[in-house]
Amino acid sequence: MSKITMAQGAGGERMQEFIREFVLKELEHDFGDIPLGALDDAAVVDGIVFTTDSYTVKPLFFPGGDIGTLAVAGTVNDVSVMGAAPIALSCGMILEEGFSESDLHRIMSSLNRTSRSAGVRIVTGDTKVVEIGAVDELFINTSGIGRRSTHLDANLERVRAAREFLWNWPNDSGVADGDVLIVSGSIGNHGVALLSFREGYGFETEVRTDAAPLNHLTESAVKVGGVVAMKDPTRGGLSNLLNEWAEKSKVGLVVREEDIPIDGPVMAACEMLGIDPLEVGNEGKVVLAVVPDAAEEVLKAIRKTPEGSNARIVGRASKDVEGVLLETQTGGKRLVEPPVGDPVPRIC
Ligand code: MG
């Protein structure tokens, strides 16, 4: 009898198969403007952007953040990348009996701090306590709602001035030939910080999580206009994100390795551990696809935000290639395959 494996929840190819088998086959998935079946960062129903995420990170506290930081940032970001302004969050907690009260105070204060920095309040919640062993210390689920950015219509007008665009929202299927790809900052920090801290490799003194709400950054981009898609490279990293866009948008993507920002200690850790930084999860980064004539302006706008100061143009969409093509530092070319699973489990 087949049983569920870790890889099926790890954000890569195995999870895509899992979703086809258990979600798309079992649930109705065509309701809404952006329905469940679109498998986007959030759904859009009656003009309301709606998303949910569960946080099972291990350990709960790590360099630069904790499960509370993630639980707010992750959900705010999934609402924001739809071109929406997040309004409010829910927070459901499942606690293991015996959990430390002082640790819970720390996590609650971090939930509050992060939600204040995003300007998005937690307005409803639920708490369950289960017996020892029934859950690993603490799991949190947050859901978020958002409303269409007031700049989104003008943003899409700028897209349509450049080319045909059929959707009413930025989304994973909207990328087309010539669109410019922007990454908002250095990648790999969250996964490497977690792994290093957990396993004691020593990189944790230099590498901290990037977890942060990005609603101000995405809004600054939408305000410029010309944004056709945004997505946060969480589980499966940049590699998974680009493959998802290429597949859903039916267009090739070309990225230049030398332009992808990766911090020195993150690169060193990845080389030592034999993992690909493109496959490592991030919690405070976004990738944007923008029509060519708006790209430099969008880049400039997001660089003015604290989370986007290191943003770069890393490539473009091209109908002349299939899948995701990486132009390497040495002048070669290699196909970026979607990761099978996440090289670092339980990072979010
Ligand atoms: Mg996402």
Side-chain angles (χ1 to χ4, degrees):
M1 193 172 35
S2 296
K3 301 212 169 160
I4 297 298
T5 63
M6 290 291 286
Q8 284 172 302
E13 276 284 274
R14 290 288 96 79
M15 197 169 91
Q16 295 301 322
E17 290 163 17
F18 170 89
I19 288 168
R20 281 194 290 275
E21 173 74 20
F22 291 98
V23 180
L24 301 183
K25 219 184 262 179
E26 302 287 353
L27 299 179
E28 278 182 50
H29 54 263
D30 57 357
F31 179 67
D33 303 329
I34 303 284
L36 173 62
L39 305 178
D40 218 305
D41 296 275
V44 181
V45 180
D46 280 354
I48 297 164
V49 177
F50 183 31
T51 194
T52 191
D53 209 328
S54 297
Y55 299 86
T56 62
V57 65
K58 187 188 177 91
L60 299 173
F61 300 92
F62 45 83
D66 58 45
I67 191 171
T69 331
L70 284 185
V72 172
T75 297
V76 162
N77 293 346
D78 276 340
V79 170
S80 306
V81 295
M82 302 308 290
I87 303 166
L89 302 174
S90 71
C91 177
M93 298 192 291
I94 306 175
L95 282 150
E96 184 182 22
E97 178 185 13
F99 190 75
S100 148
E101 283 193 359
S102 70
D103 282 352
L104 188 56
H105 275 299
R106 271 178 78 191
I107 290 163
M108 297 310 287
S109 118
S110 149
L111 279 167
N112 194 49
R113 193 169 49 247
T114 315
S115 80
R116 287 183 74 96
S117 84
V120 184
R121 300 290 192 269
I122 295 166
V123 296
T124 187
D126 174 61
T127 304
K128 298 283 191 301
V129 180
V130 296
E131 65 273 29
I132 290 169
V135 69
D136 190 359
E137 296 192 296
L138 167 66
F139 291 165
I140 296 182
N141 174 279
T142 53
S143 297
I145 53 167
R147 65 166 72 92
R148 188 176 182 83
S149 160
T150 52
H151 304 291
L152 196 56
D153 288 339
N155 174 85
L156 295 182
E157 260 171 50
R158 187 160 182 182
V159 174
R160 292 187 188 112
R163 65 166 168 86
E164 189 180 48
F165 188 79
L166 302 170
W167 291 270
N168 201 22
W169 297 85
N171 71 88
D172 292 347
S173 305
V175 186
D177 184 49
D179 287 347
V180 174
L181 303 173
I182 299 173
V183 172
S184 68
S186 309
I187 59 158
N189 297 60
H190 177 70
V192 166
L194 242 298
L195 182 66
S196 181
F197 182 61
R198 195 156 65 194
E199 311 293 337
Y201 293 125
F203 292 100
E204 62 272 20
T205 51
E206 297 162 277
V207 184
R208 294 156 64 86
T209 178
D210 61 348
L214 298 173
N215 48 324
H216 303 305
L217 186 157
T218 56
E219 183 72 357
S220 75
V222 168
K223 198 170 171 186
V224 171
V227 177
V228 299
M230 296 190 280
K231 197 173 189 65
D232 49 345
T234 52
R235 280 174 302 173
L238 186 60
S239 163
N240 192 67
L241 183 154
L242 295 172
N243 274 284
E244 252 189 271
W245 274 1
E247 194 189 321
K248 290 183 186 172
S249 295
K250 301 185 177 62
V251 69
L253 302 175
V254 183
V255 285
R256 290 175 306 272
E257 192 173 33
E258 63 178 337
D259 292 335
I260 300 172
I262 302 174
D263 295 341
V266 170
M267 189 59 99
C270 286
E271 275 168 11
M272 190 193 100
L273 301 169
I275 54 179
D276 182 350
L278 301 188
E279 295 188 2
V280 175
N282 310 273
E283 291 292 339
K285 295 293 157 359
V286 58
V287 183
L288 303 94
V290 183
V291 292
D293 94 300
E296 286 293 339
E297 251 179 282
V298 167
L299 179 67
K300 227 170 116 186
I302 63 180
R303 275 192 170 166
K304 283 188 189 144
T305 66
E307 296 80 18
S309 58
N310 199 20
R312 298 257 194 97
I313 291 176
V314 297
R316 69 199 147 76
S318 168
K319 60 177 170 29
D320 302 325
V321 301
E322 261 196 49
V324 181
L325 195 69
L326 185 74
E327 296 176 347
T328 65
Q329 315 239 24
T330 52
K333 287 185 168 134
R334 82 171 165 88
L335 215 55
V336 179
E337 301 280 349
V340 172
D342 198 300
V344 197
R346 280 184 69 181
I347 61 162
C348 57

